[in-house]
Amino acid sequence: MEDILKKITDRTRADLKIRKEIRTLSDLRAIPGYARETISFHDAIKNGSGIIAEHKRQSPSKGSFNCPATLEQVVKGYEKAGASAISCLTDEPFFGGTLQDLEDARSFVEIPILRKDFIVDLYQIHEARAYGADAILLIAACLNDEELTTLSMEALNLDLDILFEVHDLEELKRIKNISKDFKSSRYVIGVNNRDLKKFKTDIQISKDLLEHFPKKVLAISESGISNPEVVRELQDLGYRGFLIGENFMKTNDPGRSCTKFIKETTL
């Protein structure tokens, strides 16, 4: 089966060359949002519902979700529902997202926003800062240790929290080593239940990896979560955050779906 992750990151690098020619780092720093005070992604998850609700128009495996709600309706609905944070897809070729989506979302809500993208370059972290993100995603599967370290330090220097994403024990061990000197309040670790090479999901991945997490670090479960009972089960095991997008975006009213979901996770 085709390695979708490699296909996405190759396209990301190609697109980055074009974006860098159009807008320099100095241009990004001049955007008003670059100087805004960020909101703690970590604390919002720790102290709230733990639901990270995602704005996601499409996926490589499912195609378009054909959600009729506007971005404003979606993110405001998520905030009203009690989501701890919002995940905003900014990858356009494969997920239909844009940096404009991130900027718009920031203007609509007051809760933290994660820039959900395939970050492979320092430039993207400055984009995230400029367009209103409070946190960034770093995927262990598409970055080596040197890249992870460099990108992490840049994010922290720009007051952005980090969601490190892992898929197996080897990747978790790498992240534990890279982040061992970071303040635990500046990052979280997420287990993606979806194999990004085959796009199959299995919640058991989250269950198996939790015992290997570093102490005091918030554990997040991502992908394939569509049942509040699964959230309650993972909460009982020790998970504090849950990134959910497709389950909400495939409905006509993601905000209402999120509201119902959060209520059912606290029964």
Side-chain angles (χ1 to χ4, degrees), residues 225-236:
I225 301 173
S226 58
N227 190 329
E229 290 183 6
V230 172
V231 169
R232 292 198 297 270
E233 181 182 4
L234 292 174
Q235 285 174 331
D236 289 342

Side-chain angles (χ1 to χ4, degrees), residues 59-116:
S59 79
S61 59
K62 301 290 179 65
S64 174
F65 298 127
N66 296 313
C67 179
T70 65
L71 181 141
E72 180 177 4
Q73 291 170 331
V74 171
V75 297
K76 283 185 175 180
Y78 285 160
E79 182 176 42
K80 184 178 180 181
S84 286
I86 287 169
S87 170
C88 185
L89 257 299
T90 58
D91 172 88
E92 187 166 10
F94 298 91
F95 292 88
T98 65
L99 283 166
Q100 187 64 53
D101 288 342
L102 175 59
E103 186 173 46
D104 289 345
R106 177 73 282 154
S107 71
F108 296 140
V109 299
E110 296 182 359
I111 56 177
I113 300 178
L114 167 76
R115 180 188 182 184
K116 182 82 174 289

Side-chain angles (χ1 to χ4, degrees), residues 1-265:
M1 182 175 288
E2 181 182 21
D3 187 336
I4 298 176
L5 182 59
K6 184 178 186 304
K7 183 177 180 180
I8 293 174
T9 53
D10 284 349
R11 176 62 184 270
T12 297
R13 289 186 173 92
D15 289 348
L16 269 171
K17 291 180 180 179
I18 299 172
R19 294 212 299 275
K20 286 179 178 181
E21 292 177 356
I22 296 173
R23 180 164 284 161
T24 66
L25 277 177
S26 294
D27 293 333
L28 290 176
R29 293 189 182 103
I31 294 175
Y34 195 92
R36 62 174 280 271
E37 183 176 351
T38 55
I39 310 165
S40 176
F41 179 76
H42 172 280
D43 291 355
I45 295 168
K46 181 180 180 180
N47 301 321
S49 66
I51 300 299
I52 306 164
E54 189 161 87
H55 181 266
K56 178 181 182 179
R57 291 191 175 89
Q58 64 189 49
S59 79
S61 59
K62 301 290 179 65
S64 174
F65 298 127
N66 296 313
C67 179
T70 65
L71 181 141
E72 180 177 4
Q73 291 170 331
V74 171
V75 297
K76 283 185 175 180
Y78 285 160
E79 182 176 42
K80 184 178 180 181
S84 286
I86 287 169
S87 170
C88 185
L89 257 299
T90 58
D91 172 88
E92 187 166 10
F94 298 91
F95 292 88
T98 65
L99 283 166
Q100 187 64 53
D101 288 342
L102 175 59
E103 186 173 46
D104 289 345
R106 177 73 282 154
S107 71
F108 296 140
V109 299
E110 296 182 359
I111 56 177
I113 300 178
L114 167 76
R115 180 188 182 184
K116 182 82 174 289
D117 209 318
F118 297 80
I119 292 181
V120 294
D121 191 285
L122 291 171
Y123 183 87
Q124 292 166 284
I125 298 177
H126 289 267
E127 284 181 327
R129 189 69 170 88
Y131 283 89
D134 301 285
I136 61 161
L137 174 72
L138 294 180
I139 303 173
C142 60
L143 299 165
N144 61 39
D145 289 358
E146 182 179 356
E147 291 168 333
L148 279 167
T149 300
T150 300
L151 293 169
S152 298
M153 294 306 299
E154 191 75 355
L156 295 176
N157 287 338
L158 292 178
D159 289 326
L160 295 171
D161 284 359
I162 303 165
L163 168 55
F164 288 111
E165 181 175 290
V166 302
H167 302 82
D168 55 37
L169 183 56
E170 180 183 353
E171 291 177 1
L172 178 56
K173 288 179 177 177
R174 289 174 56 211
I175 294 302
K176 286 169 67 175
N177 183 58
I178 287 164
S179 63
K180 63 182 183 296
D181 295 325
F182 296 170
K183 290 182 179 179
S184 60
S185 61
R186 295 300 311 279
Y187 71 100
V188 300
I189 298 178
V191 177
N192 194 335
N193 302 303
R194 177 177 287 117
D195 183 332
L196 287 181
K197 294 183 178 181
K198 299 179 180 179
F199 267 68
K200 293 181 179 180
T201 58
D202 186 354
I203 297 297
Q204 189 62 40
I205 298 173
S206 283
K207 297 178 181 180
D208 292 342
L209 289 185
L210 185 61
E211 65 179 293
H212 303 285
F213 264 64
K215 294 180 180 179
K216 298 183 179 180
V217 173
L218 296 189
I220 312 298
S221 184
E222 312 170 38
S223 299
I225 301 173
S226 58
N227 190 329
E229 290 183 6
V230 172
V231 169
R232 292 198 297 270
E233 181 182 4
L234 292 174
Q235 285 174 331
D236 289 342
L237 293 175
Y239 277 90
R240 298 295 296 274
F242 307 90
L243 197 155
I244 304 170
E246 181 177 318
N247 190 58
F248 301 146
M249 292 300 299
K250 67 183 181 182
T251 68
N252 289 335
D253 189 340
R256 178 179 295 179
S257 300
C258 185
T259 299
K260 183 173 183 290
F261 190 94
I262 290 176
K263 285 181 179 178
E264 291 179 358
T265 63

